[in-house]
Amino acid sequence: MELISLQQIENTNDTIANKKNSYLLIGSLALGLLFNLLFFEKPLGLSYPLYLLALYSFVFWNLEKRPKLKFTFTGLLGISIVALSFSYFFFSNPIFAVLNFLMIPTLFVAHTLLLTSNSRYKWFE
């Protein structure tokens, strides 16, 4: 009797994991289609901040622990990333476009690592 109840608990955990994985797959495919729609043979302009906001909403939706809205370094980093992405919409300087094109993905990866890490150490140590 005890084995049956233990197997039922394991099966329910598997279905929850599969459900979350299927949502992750569907969201990733939707982001891929949105990327194709916004960027294929089109200028960056408004497409870059729109895609970045969609990507951030997907990342925040998928996080296990919801971050609280506080004025911290991670919040300031997120605001600066979004502001840099809007520079494609407002300015057309090719030098800054190349620099932003290199820095925004790097900063995005650093920001998501800071949001999702469970490290014992602070980022500045």
Side-chain angles (χ1 to χ4, degrees), residues 82-101:
V82 172
L84 280 175
S85 72
F86 273 104
S87 70
Y88 286 109
F89 181 65
F90 294 121
F91 306 110
S92 62
N93 188 344
I95 295 171
F96 287 128
V98 170
L99 289 175
N100 287 345
F101 193 76

Side-chain angles (χ1 to χ4, degrees), residues 39-43:
F39 292 110
F40 186 66
E41 295 181 352
K42 294 182 176 103

Side-chain angles (χ1 to χ4, degrees), residues 62-104:
N62 200 25
L63 284 176
E64 295 291 328
K65 286 189 335 185
R66 304 279 184 224
K68 294 184 171 70
L69 294 175
K70 295 187 291 187
F71 189 72
T72 59
F73 177 74
T74 56
L76 187 63
L77 185 61
I79 291 169
S80 65
I81 293 168
V82 172
L84 280 175
S85 72
F86 273 104
S87 70
Y88 286 109
F89 181 65
F90 294 121
F91 306 110
S92 62
N93 188 344
I95 295 171
F96 287 128
V98 170
L99 289 175
N100 287 345
F101 193 76
L102 295 173
M103 286 307 298
I104 291 173

